[in-house]
Amino acid sequence: MKEKYDVVILGPGPAGLQAAIHAARAKVSVLVMGREHKSSLYKAHVENYCCLGEEKVTGLELDNGDVVEVDGVFIETDKQQQTNVPGIYAAGDICGPPWQVAKAVGEGCVAGLAAAKRAKKIKK
Ligand SMILES: Cc1cc2nc3c(=O)[nH]c(=O)nc-3n(C[C@H](O)[C@H](O)[C@H](O)COP(=O)(O)OP(=O)(O)OC[C@H]3O[C@@H](n4cnc5c(N)ncnc54)[C@H](O)[C@@H]3O)c2cc1C
């Protein structure tokens, strides 16, 4: 396994996989992390479906100290699916309703392309 990737995707659900496809098509290296069978697509019964959990939070702290802003239970993004932290993108159910595959893959596509574009710019 490579030690460094241009784009790292957390969560192999519809949003994450679509982001991976589009980032890879843009010819950047991509790593997808997570467990496929945990996707909500594979669940017959779901409690507290969607979101970050039961408790409302104000942010997700990253290892480097950056904090991704959260609006109660959903991650906020701009139109390129970028969070308030440059280079960190979010897509799919985690961004809020409607909780549909079509929305997840659409946002995943946008996020994957935006992440790949950023990675290429940084590598230049
Ligand atoms: C019972 C049910 C029926 C549904 N029916 C339909 C339908 O008919 N039509 C429709 O369009 N939509 C339907 N949906 C909604 C659809 O499944 C979701 O909108 C879609 O799966 C969202 O994709 P996602 O990639 O955003 O999230 P998910 O599919 O939830 O994928 C998230 C991924 O991230 C991973 N992950 C989460 N946390 C971590 C972590 N900390 N570390 C690593 N990995 C992590 C999970 O394992 C998972 O693989 C249904 C959902 C359910 C539950």
Side-chain angles (χ1 to χ4, degrees):
M1 195 168 87
K2 288 172 62 163
E3 286 183 8
K4 283 190 170 181
Y5 290 84
D6 297 320
V7 174
V8 177
I9 293 166
L10 184 62
L17 293 179
Q18 192 72 7
I21 289 167
H22 283 271
R25 278 184 183 166
K27 301 198 186 321
V28 297
S29 59
V30 179
L31 175 66
V32 180
M33 300 173 71
R35 296 170 69 181
E36 187 180 0
H37 72 274
K38 291 280 184 182
S39 167
S40 49
L41 276 178
Y42 297 86
K43 291 179 183 173
H45 174 74
V46 179
E47 290 176 8
N48 303 316
Y49 171 54
C50 89
C51 327
L52 296 169
E54 288 177 76
E55 292 179 25
K56 291 193 174 184
V57 294
T58 55
L60 297 174
E61 190 171 353
L62 307 179
D63 279 352
N64 67 358
D66 286 339
V67 177
V68 175
E69 286 174 6
V70 176
D71 174 21
V73 284
F74 302 120
I75 295 177
E76 291 185 319
T77 68
D78 64 16
K79 286 184 177 176
Q80 294 301 305
Q81 299 303 131
Q82 183 166 262
T83 67
N84 63 298
V85 179
I88 304 289
Y89 301 82
D93 283 4
I94 201 75
C95 297
W99 300 299
Q100 292 284 292
V101 170
K103 172 183 169 286
V105 296
E107 291 180 352
C109 168
V110 172
L113 289 173
K117 187 176 175 185
R118 179 185 167 85
K120 282 180 167 178
K121 201 172 170 184
I122 290 171
K123 282 208 287 190
K124 274 187 184 171

